[in-house]
Amino acid sequence: MKYIVYGSVSSGVMLYGLTLLIGLTGGTDIYAVNEALSAGVSNPLILNISILMILVGMGFKIAVVPFHFWAPDVYEGAPIIYSGYLGSSFKDCCLWASDPLLHRSFFKFRMEFLAEGMWQMIEGIKWTWIVSIMAALAMIVGNLTALKQDNIKRMLAYSSIAHAGYLLMGVVILAEEGIASIMIYLFIYLFMNLGAFYVAMLFSNKLETESIEQYKGLGFRAPLESVAMTIFLIALTGIPPTGGFVAKLYILEQL
């Protein structure tokens, strides 16, 4: 119910923002919208509100702070196999759908405005600062809150929120390198997170518990699975020489 309610509200907000943008520019094609904005906006306030509302909907879809509240409860409430799907395949699909939209909105509009000296007409809000703050909050809140969790699914849920923050940094870059860094990160993240959820599912079936406290001593009882989980968690943390480290390094190099 939390997912349905939050999802409906955020989708409605985003669609209303798109409606305002279409009404303001008279076009539905990105290039037509860009052309209309380049010709001049009669009401910058409406344009700012429109972009803000679109950002709210996108923030929910990628579970970034402060639109992340649904993720931990949904992950914990669902069977672990579906939590793994939500945390990996579904999450990647949402990010693949949302981040290109973020890029095509902010990158296409912003970069062409900068080239033409037109971005100054949209006054009042520094969009790169807003996205940067959202990315930083997602990383901080996701990682720190994950440390306090006892349920493995909730811990991985907050981990996914933190990773959404890393991915959002690619949007802040506002360059083709940012798109490339997001694609690389998503590809590596899919295997890291799916692997961690798969091992957690094996442990859940064997121990009939999702409590991290009950994982003590698993190195002796299930050595292969424990080694695999350790590798996946190290990769999610971003410690070298794992793929998670390479993905984070590539994004940070573009900043």
Side-chain angles (χ1 to χ4, degrees), residues 55 64-65 106 126-140 165-166 168-174 255:
L55 192 61
V64 69
V65 177
F106 285 86
K126 295 183 178 179
W127 294 106
T128 50
W129 278 98
I130 290 181
V131 178
S132 299
I133 291 170
M134 288 173 62
L137 286 175
M139 290 184 281
I140 294 170
Y166 289 110
L168 206 57
M169 287 196 299
V171 179
V172 179
I173 296 168
L174 288 172
L255 292 175

Side-chain angles (χ1 to χ4, degrees), residues 79-102:
I80 195 164
I81 188 171
Y82 296 112
S83 298
Y85 174 73
L86 284 169
S88 303
S89 303
F90 178 77
K91 180 79 171 179
D92 258 29
C93 288
C94 286
L95 286 162
W96 275 89
S98 299
D99 271 303
L101 181 56
L102 280 166

Side-chain angles (χ1 to χ4, degrees), residues 30-195:
I30 284 182
Y31 297 98
V33 171
N34 182 72
E35 184 178 347
L37 293 176
S38 300
V41 178
S42 59
N43 196 332
L45 176 62
I46 297 298
L47 180 59
N48 277 320
I49 293 174
S50 169
I51 297 174
L52 186 62
M53 296 177 81
I54 294 170
L55 192 61
V56 168
M58 294 178 185
F60 171 84
K61 293 182 185 301
I62 62 177
V64 69
V65 177
F67 313 108
H68 66 291
F69 296 105
W70 63 272
D73 290 334
V74 171
Y75 281 43
E76 183 179 10
I80 195 164
I81 188 171
Y82 296 112
S83 298
Y85 174 73
L86 284 169
S88 303
S89 303
F90 178 77
K91 180 79 171 179
D92 258 29
C93 288
C94 286
L95 286 162
W96 275 89
S98 299
D99 271 303
L101 181 56
L102 280 166
H103 266 91
R104 289 184 69 82
S105 299
F106 285 86
F107 173 74
K108 177 65 181 174
F109 298 158
R110 174 73 184 268
M111 296 307 289
E112 290 202 5
F113 288 158
L114 285 174
E116 301 172 12
M118 295 292 294
W119 187 249
Q120 289 76 11
M121 70 181 182
I122 306 178
E123 300 175 349
I125 297 179
K126 295 183 178 179
W127 294 106
T128 50
W129 278 98
I130 290 181
V131 178
S132 299
I133 291 170
M134 288 173 62
L137 286 175
M139 290 184 281
I140 294 170
V141 173
N143 285 315
L144 292 181
T145 312
L147 292 174
K148 302 189 300 181
Q149 304 306 313
D150 181 58
N151 184 284
I152 186 66
K153 291 191 293 186
R154 287 188 73 88
M155 186 194 75
L156 291 173
Y158 281 107
S159 171
S160 72
I161 293 168
H163 284 280
Y166 289 110
L167 286 158
L168 206 57
M169 287 196 299
V171 179
V172 179
I173 296 168
L174 288 172
E176 294 291 349
E177 292 80 4
I179 301 175
S181 65
I182 284 180
M183 298 301 104
I184 292 172
Y185 200 107
L186 281 174
F187 181 76
I188 296 174
Y189 172 79
L190 175 64
F191 292 98
M192 295 188 300
N193 209 44
L194 193 60

